[in-house]
Amino acid sequence: MEKPKSPKSAKLSLASSPAAKKPARAQAGPARKPAARRPRIPYSKDEIREIFRRFSIQRPEPKGELEHVNPFTLVVAVALSAQATDAGVNKATRALFAVADTPEKMLALGEDRVRDMIKTIGLYRNKAKNVIALSQKLVDDFSGEVPRTEAELVTLPGVGRKTANVVMSMAFGVPTLAVDTHVFRIGNRLRIAPGKTPDEVEEAFLRIIPEDYLFHAHHWLILHGRYCCKARKPECERCVIADICKSKEKTTDAPAPLVELPAQIV
């Protein structure tokens, strides 16, 4: 009769089995997250090119609607436009820029005076502080000149990536794409550049926009979202890309006539 194995011998037998030689799953290191898949868009390359071709016919020379006289006043205007309308910012900055169109003049004006002149804009107290702080930064670190790179622009108080992209495009002619609320909505509503964050939408648009249309794409998308593909109710009957659009909210398949509109609409 075979004697039962002692607990010690049983452990030795188990350790020598083939299964015991395999490393435990926990010893294999932390599991890697699978790479996020890019969402597929329901547009062909030809359809995307046609979308931007029509935008280019509708608005051959689109321009931003924020009033400014030089790169400095543009930086200030874009920084002030956060959570405010362009029209509201323009109303406040006309008088401000008439007396302070350089960082040095803005510093001489002082925070209290700047605050009084922009008090019709939302968050005006904090924005006044940022205007003075960014003016001081420009004087101290950039000899009073607005820098031309994103890395330098975002070091200015109140200036984020979106503001930097707008300034680089409008002031220095760099083909960038700033994602504001309109561009973000267009990317997701049309399913042409979907993303959960502005950075994701920007990356998606930059992958698909034809290079020869990139320079004006930012303004085309903003103006399309502001005046046609509106947040509450898109006006599909006026849309020049209605027959191409793959939005689930679309109400018509008929494109509007390709009539040239004013480059700047106030």
Side-chain angles (χ1 to χ4, degrees), residues 151-174:
E152 291 174 316
L153 283 165
V154 296
T155 66
L156 302 176
V159 175
R161 186 172 179 179
K162 187 202 83 171
T163 298
N165 281 338
V166 172
V167 173
M168 290 166 63
S169 174
M170 293 179 62
F172 305 123
V174 179

Side-chain angles (χ1 to χ4, degrees), residues 149-209:
T149 68
E150 180 184 310
E152 291 174 316
L153 283 165
V154 296
T155 66
L156 302 176
V159 175
R161 186 172 179 179
K162 187 202 83 171
T163 298
N165 281 338
V166 172
V167 173
M168 290 166 63
S169 174
M170 293 179 62
F172 305 123
V174 179
T176 61
L177 184 77
V179 177
D180 70 347
T181 182
H182 300 296
V183 178
F184 186 82
R185 181 175 68 256
I186 295 298
N188 283 287
R189 176 183 276 168
L190 272 59
R191 299 190 291 162
I192 193 171
K196 296 180 180 179
T197 66
D199 286 352
E200 289 182 2
V201 170
E202 178 185 344
E203 182 183 352
F205 265 125
L206 291 177
R207 283 198 302 267
I208 65 166
I209 297 174

Side-chain angles (χ1 to χ4, degrees), residues 56-165:
S56 72
I57 295 174
Q58 185 184 43
R59 294 185 175 94
E61 293 294 332
K63 296 180 181 179
E65 298 181 337
L66 284 173
E67 297 175 5
H68 61 284
V69 296
N70 55 32
F72 170 69
T73 54
L74 176 61
V75 171
V76 173
V78 179
L80 293 177
S81 70
Q83 300 182 45
T85 65
D86 289 359
V89 172
N90 290 339
K91 185 177 180 180
T93 57
R94 284 176 192 135
L96 176 63
F97 294 158
V99 295
D101 58 357
T102 68
E104 294 83 0
K105 291 179 182 178
M106 194 68 73
L107 290 173
L109 197 61
E111 183 180 328
D112 290 346
R113 185 67 179 130
V114 171
R115 184 176 61 244
D116 289 342
M117 297 184 78
I118 66 169
K119 62 184 179 182
T120 56
I121 302 174
L123 307 174
Y124 69 95
R125 295 181 186 275
N126 190 56
K127 289 178 179 179
K129 290 180 180 179
N130 283 337
V131 168
I132 293 298
L134 75 83
S135 298
Q136 191 68 61
K137 178 84 171 177
L138 288 172
V139 170
D140 293 343
D141 296 351
F142 301 102
S143 301
E145 299 294 326
V146 175
R148 292 172 174 259
T149 68
E150 180 184 310
E152 291 174 316
L153 283 165
V154 296
T155 66
L156 302 176
V159 175
R161 186 172 179 179
K162 187 202 83 171
T163 298
N165 281 338

Side-chain angles (χ1 to χ4, degrees), residues 28-35:
R32 295 181 179 180
K33 294 182 179 180

